[in-house]
Every structure is written in structure tokens, then in C-alpha cells.
Amino acid sequence: MTDAASTSHPRLTDRPAWQALAAHHRQVRDLHLRQLFADDPQRGERLTAEGAGLYLDYSKNRVTDETIKLLLQLADECGLAARIDAMFRGQQINASEQRAVLHVALRADASERIEVDGVDVVPEVHAVLDHMATFSASVRSGRWLGYTGRAIRNVINIGIGGSDLGPVMAYEALRHYSRRDMTFRFISNVDGTDFEEATRDLDPEETLFIICSKTFATLETLTNAHTARAWSLRKLKDERAVQRHFVAISTNSEGVAKFGIDTANMFGFWDWVGGRYSMDSAVGLSTMLAIGAENFRAMLSGFHAMDRHFRSTPFDQNLPVLMGLLAVWNNNFLGAQTVAVLPYEHYLKRFPAYLQQLTMESNGKHVTLDGVPVDVPTGPVYWGEPGTNGQHSFYQLIHQGTRLVPCDFIGFCQPLNPLGRHHDLLLANLFAQTEALAFGKTAQQLEAEGTPSWLVPHRTCEGNRPTNTVLAQRLTPETLGQLVALYEHSVLTQGVIWHIDSFDQWGVELGKVLAQRIIPELECTDEPKLGHDSSTNALIRRYRRLREG
Ligand code: F6P
């Protein structure tokens, strides 16, 4: 047994609240949402919470007041309040990497003080924001000129994972607020297609690349960055052009300088910002270039409003805490293995993909903070698509399949593009889906409608499918910040209950190491001596044989 394993942290399943929840689940597992709503006509207004600009209706979850009481008791027993406090105080809650976790400092007011190792980081955060704002203003105004004296019209962010998903999602989400006379693109994949398609119609003289990599060591990003450099220089023909067409976002100034980027045009961040929690740091430079500094700051204020809500609101009214605890209930007691995120807002089409990294890289963990195997399943699989499109694709399985898929529905009361009846139709569908999923359609109802008896089983919808509905007034930079922070803190809440490190990602390392071993085996001209398993060896040999055409 390791030292870590011998620590006295109780097993989750031994906690009194967990055991009470297990006993409670046995009593309520057959309860139907139809019954719960019939018994309490106020349920749809009671089981709701509102804060930081968002309204959460969690009444269509399979919970009773007792369930919520026990989940809140579990949060207390697991020390959630102390853990939240530790995060905001800059303690090293990312234990396996021995780092503070301070994305909340990225949106702190300039008047706040947040220390890491005795140093207040808030002034540094604001200095970088100011630097970003000055740079963005000069690019957006046409004052920043490319090497041949032309203004920048195209911005391409090169990054992957947290250095891509946040920027892409935010750009798509806030497109309504973006400069329509500029082109914004994102290259992440080491697949050359991504680079080719992103650049084929662009002129290097008018194109600015943002090389976005916390480590400045990621294979995909550096490969694409070097390809971009060659693409630019093919036309610009002078190494000095790199300084006018490349800027960097990184914590690694040495790597940036080595690449040839002027470190005066490097926008820094810190090792206490995890990649998947970084879209509101300098990683958001492409967002700021698209929407302007004022809108970017409005987004930060949305994040900050949710941070304050999370830190100071009693747990029974605290949106991220409630969402996190409900996720634990659905995952561990109802046995749901996935969560579908269904934004009824087309601009949020990349939000589910963004949440996949945020939730799964954070909570896809198999050992506790003490290094011992977890005793319950941890992070569920997140996926989703915007409504109403998903309705005509995978919703069938959610309505009538054999798996339980809790869903988060996200909607906005005011459209950004009012167009005839469109928005009412969109929202009618959102409300109808949560209603159908909760209440279904019984055999009796179908028979009463005259459905032929052979068809009744096919048309019956059991209902009792849990959903959350998050409503906001309008998709703005501010609401986007609120929404992202809502999920960030829900992820933390779940991680605290499971007693895991939600801020490391060791699992992705093995594949990277093995790829480094295989690269020379693909690139060498002589037949390589392969020492893998027979499947990997055969695949490599076959690829080498067939790639020549
Ligand atoms: O491979 C996973 C990961 O480390 C993510 O956590 C991170 O967001 C991504 O790679 C990109 O890393 P970087 O910003 O250092 O290039």
C-alpha cells in the first residue's frame, strides 16, 4: 500500500450520506415524474434556482426533497465548502501536479487580491488583459500592418485541446458580436487537411497567426505552426515577416523566442490555469480580436458573476452545486453513463464539444486524490448537438431506448436573429422535449386515442427521463461567461464528491509517448525493426507498404 493509499480519507461509499442516499434510492427508484408532479403542483416552480443571470429548472429530475437534502448532506460530508474556499485561496488543489487552480483569478476584479505562493496574481492578469486589448485594438483598427504594409484581415488560431476548443466555441457562440469584415479560422488537427482548408483562399500578406500553446511543446500545434511559417514565408520571402504575422500565447517564453516570435508579442498565462479552463485567459485572444475588448471584458464579468454566486450562495440555491450533485445522483444512483447537452441556440453548436474536454478531461479519473481506486464510477460521457437538429437524429434513443440519458437543455428567451416565428418554434420544441421526456405517453392514453393495440407498445413512451433546463434572457458575451463558469464549477463539485483530481490529465500522456516512438518508424527509409505487439507491427507495415500509392 502506498503512503497515499494509507491515508485516512473515508471511502465515498462508507460515508453516512452516501449510504443514506443508497437506501433512499431503493425507496424512490420506481417513482415516476408523473407522480412527483401530480403530488406537488408547485414542483416546477419550487425545484428551481436563479443566480448570476441564469435560471435553472431541475424539477424534471428524478428527485424528491429528501434526495436533495441527502445530496446536500453529502456535499457537506465531502467538504465541498472547504474545497471551494481552497480553490479561491490559491491552494494547490491540483494535487498530482502540485499546482493551484485559479481560473477564477482570470476574471477577478482589479481590486481583488488572490495570492499564489504569497504573490498577488490579479495585477498580472490585468496587465495581460491590457496588453491583449492594446494589441486587439491595433489589429482591428488596421494600425497593425503586415510585413508588406497591408492591414490584417484574417486571423488564424493554431492550437489544440484547451488551446483550441474554447477559442472555437467562443468565436462561434459570439459570432453575432464579431467583426464581419474579418475572417477567423482555427487549425488544430495535425491532419494536413485542417491546415490546407483553413488557408487555401487566404493571402499571407493579410493573415495573422496566433500560436496558442500553454507548453509550446505540443506536437500538433508546433507542426502546424511550422507549416504556417513556411506558408507565410513562401509569399513574404523574408524571415523578418514572422514578427508581423505571428504572435504567441504561452507560458513558455523560451520556446516562443526559439520559434522566432517576438516575445513582446507573446501573451502570457500561468501554470495555475489548466488548458481546459483557459478560454478567458490570453488563450481568448482570437475571441477578443473577433468581438473587441469591451465585449471580452463583459464575458469576464459573466464568469465572475457565476464565481461569486458559486462561492457565496447557500448550496440549496447554488446553481453549479445543484447541477453537480444532480449529475452525481444520475450517474451513481440512477446508473446513467452519459449526459446530453442540448443547446437550443445555433450559435452554441460547439458548446457540447467544448464541454467534452472540460468535463471528461477533468473527471475521467480512476483513482482518488489519495491514489487509491475510486469505489464508484466517475465522470460520465458528455455529448450533444444543438436542438432542434438533434431531435431528428438521436433523440429517439433518449425517448424510447433502453439507456437512461439525462439531458441539459439550454435556451434563451430572446433571439439574436429575430425572424418571423422562428424563435417561438425553437423554444416550443425545447419545452416540448423536456415535457415529453418527463411524462411520456402511456398505453392507456394511446388506447384512449384509438391507437390499434398492436401499435401501442411501439408508440408508448415511458417518460421519467431526467432533464435540467437552463434559461437565460439572451446569448451575450456575459451569458456565455456565466454558462461556462456554471459548468466549470459543476465539474469541480462532482470531482470533490468523488475525491478525484479534476485538474490533471495524465491519461493523455501515454498515447503521446507512443506516437513519438512510432513517428521515426514511419519516417525512416529502411525497413524499421518493430518491437510492438503483432497488431501494431502489422498496421505499421501495411501503412508503409500502401502509402506509396
Ligand atoms: O493533451 C491534452 C492537453 O495537454 C490538454 O490538456 C491541453 O489543453 C492540450 O493538450 C494542449 O496543450 P498546449 O496548450 O500545451 O499545447
Side-chain angles (χ1 to χ4, degrees):
M1 197 190 272
T2 63
D3 280 356
S6 62
T7 57
S8 58
H9 195 89
R11 285 161 57 91
L12 180 54
T13 49
D14 289 341
R15 288 194 179 279
W18 190 274
Q19 297 193 342
L21 276 161
H24 168 71
H25 173 247
R26 284 192 289 278
Q27 286 166 1
V28 299
R29 70 178 155 211
D30 295 327
L31 266 182
H32 199 289
L33 283 166
R34 279 196 286 265
Q35 191 63 49
L36 291 170
F37 272 84
D39 291 349
D40 174 7
Q42 302 307 317
R43 182 182 170 95
E45 276 157 48
R46 234 167 32 77
L47 299 195
T48 62
E50 193 163 6
L54 301 181
Y55 175 80
L56 168 68
D57 173 356
Y58 61 95
S59 63
K60 294 191 183 96
N61 279 279
R62 282 160 57 174
V63 293
T64 65
D65 289 352
E66 180 69 6
T67 322
I68 299 296
K69 194 184 105 197
L70 292 173
L71 286 168
L72 292 168
Q73 194 179 316
L74 180 68
D76 286 343
E77 284 180 20
C78 293
L80 179 59
R83 205 82 187 141
I84 294 171
D85 202 49
M87 175 174 76
F88 278 91
R89 283 178 191 282
Q91 290 175 14
Q92 294 191 345
I93 66 166
N94 177 355
S96 79
E97 294 182 330
Q98 298 180 307
R99 286 178 181 167
V101 174
L102 269 180
H103 41 279
V104 292
L106 298 171
R107 52 264 191 159
D109 284 338
S111 58
E112 286 176 55
R113 196 181 164 82
I114 301 178
E115 289 185 7
V116 177
D117 299 330
V119 178
D120 180 11
V121 297
V122 178
E124 297 173 53
V125 166
H126 282 267
V128 173
L129 277 173
D130 291 344
H131 184 196
M132 290 164 66
T134 308
F135 178 73
S136 298
S138 79
V139 173
R140 286 164 59 89
S141 66
R143 271 182 283 119
W144 177 278
L145 300 178
Y147 189 61
T148 56
R150 305 245 294 262
I152 297 299
R153 295 167 56 84
N154 317 310
V155 175
I156 302 188
N157 185 81
I158 296 185
I160 197 162
S163 298
D164 169 71
L165 289 161
V168 175
M169 183 278 288
Y171 172 66
E172 292 295 344
L174 301 177
R175 212 178 179 138
H176 184 76
Y177 304 88
S178 73
R179 278 283 292 267
R180 301 300 187 141
D181 56 347
M182 291 176 73
T183 299
F184 291 87
R185 296 202 179 144
F186 301 85
I187 299 175
S188 54
N189 203 330
V190 77
D191 183 338
T193 299
D194 204 9
F195 186 90
E196 279 297 331
E197 288 294 338
T199 53
R200 62 197 305 275
D201 54 345
L202 303 186
D203 183 343
E205 292 184 64
E206 301 177 333
T207 303
L208 176 78
F209 287 96
I210 302 173
I211 311 303
C212 187
S213 174
K214 181 175 171 181
T215 54
F216 223 77
T218 304
L219 172 84
E220 293 90 335
T221 300
L222 287 194
T223 306
N224 279 318
H226 282 283
T227 302
R229 196 176 201 279
W231 179 84
S232 294
L233 294 184
R234 251 197 315 277
K235 174 122 191 239
L236 301 171
K237 308 226 183 296
D238 187 335
E239 287 282 331
R240 283 174 301 177
V242 171
Q243 309 233 339
R244 302 304 300 169
H245 292 269
F246 285 78
V247 298
I249 291 157
S250 190
T251 56
N252 173 2
S253 46
E254 226 173 277
V256 169
K258 207 163 137 216
F259 183 85
I261 294 175
D262 184 352
T263 45
N265 299 324
M266 169 177 151
F267 300 84
F269 62 121
W270 306 271
D271 68 5
W272 41 261
V273 183
R276 54 192 177 273
Y277 296 87
S278 68
M279 60 169 274
D280 47 339
S281 70
V283 166
L285 183 64
S286 58
T287 314
M288 194 188 273
L289 282 162
I291 64 172
E294 205 177 309
N295 277 323
F296 193 85
R297 287 186 197 276
M299 181 181 83
L300 295 183
S301 75
F303 272 102
H304 189 56
M306 187 55 76
D307 295 342
R308 281 199 312 264
H309 171 87
F310 183 51
R311 196 175 189 187
S312 59
T313 308
F315 287 170
D316 63 350
Q317 283 302 309
N318 191 312
L319 273 73
V321 170
L322 288 167
M323 272 184 82
L325 293 175
L326 288 164
V328 169
W329 170 253
N330 289 336
N331 184 45
N332 296 119
F333 294 94
L334 302 191
Q337 295 181 352
T338 82
V339 177
V341 180
L342 309 166
Y344 278 62
E345 167 54 74
H346 206 72
Y347 283 124
L348 288 182
K349 65 180 179 212
R350 294 292 291 169
F351 193 58
Y354 171 77
L355 285 187
Q356 286 186 326
Q357 188 198 17
L358 179 65
T359 60
M360 299 205 277
E361 202 167 70
S362 296
N363 283 341
K365 304 293 159 65
H366 69 146
V367 293
T368 68
L369 282 163
D370 308 318
V372 295
V374 292
D375 51 348
V376 299
T378 58
V381 173
Y382 275 74
W383 57 289
E385 278 289 320
T388 59
N389 293 8
Q391 291 175 205
H392 300 270
S393 157
F394 52 81
Y395 278 37
Q396 166 62 33
L397 182 146
I398 305 179
H399 283 287
Q400 281 190 314
T402 52
R403 293 170 199 282
L404 188 70
V405 183
C407 305
D408 290 349
F409 284 83
I410 301 169
F412 298 88
C413 299
Q414 296 177 359
L416 290 174
N417 296 298
L419 202 60
R421 302 168 65 212
H422 283 246
H423 200 64
D424 285 343
L425 301 186
L426 177 71
L427 271 283
N429 272 279
L430 185 165
F431 302 140
Q433 288 299 324
T434 69
E435 194 176 18
L437 287 164
F439 304 108
K441 186 141 193 178
T442 62
Q444 290 86 326
Q445 287 171 312
L446 287 159
E447 279 155 9
E449 286 172 6
T451 308
S453 57
W454 64 269
L455 201 49
V456 167
H458 296 280
R459 295 196 53 186
T460 300
C461 290
E462 274 167 24
N464 220 14
R465 269 59 171 166
T467 62
N468 288 313
T469 303
V470 177
L471 277 188
Q473 192 166 19
R474 186 180 166 89
L475 177 58
T476 60
E478 208 166 357
T479 17
L480 183 70
Q482 293 155 0
L483 206 51
V484 173
L486 168 68
Y487 278 93
E488 286 177 347
H489 299 324
S490 164
V491 162
L492 173 85
T493 300
Q494 295 167 59
V496 171
I497 301 297
W498 294 319
H499 193 52
I500 56 177
D501 190 332
S502 299
F503 304 101
D504 63 8
Q505 58 284 316
W506 297 105
V508 298
E509 295 305 320
L510 177 60
K512 291 186 193 174
V513 171
L514 295 183
Q516 287 299 344
R517 189 172 145 205
I518 294 175
I519 290 166
E521 295 170 349
L522 302 189
E523 290 186 333
C524 64
T525 40
D526 296 339
E527 199 55 37
K529 255 204 164 73
L530 298 176
H532 307 276
D533 59 277
S534 59
S535 159
T536 310
N537 287 345
L539 289 167
I540 291 172
R541 282 197 205 99
R542 189 173 181 83
Y543 169 73
R544 284 181 59 95
R545 213 170 49 244
L546 295 185
R547 73 178 161 187
E548 308 304 346

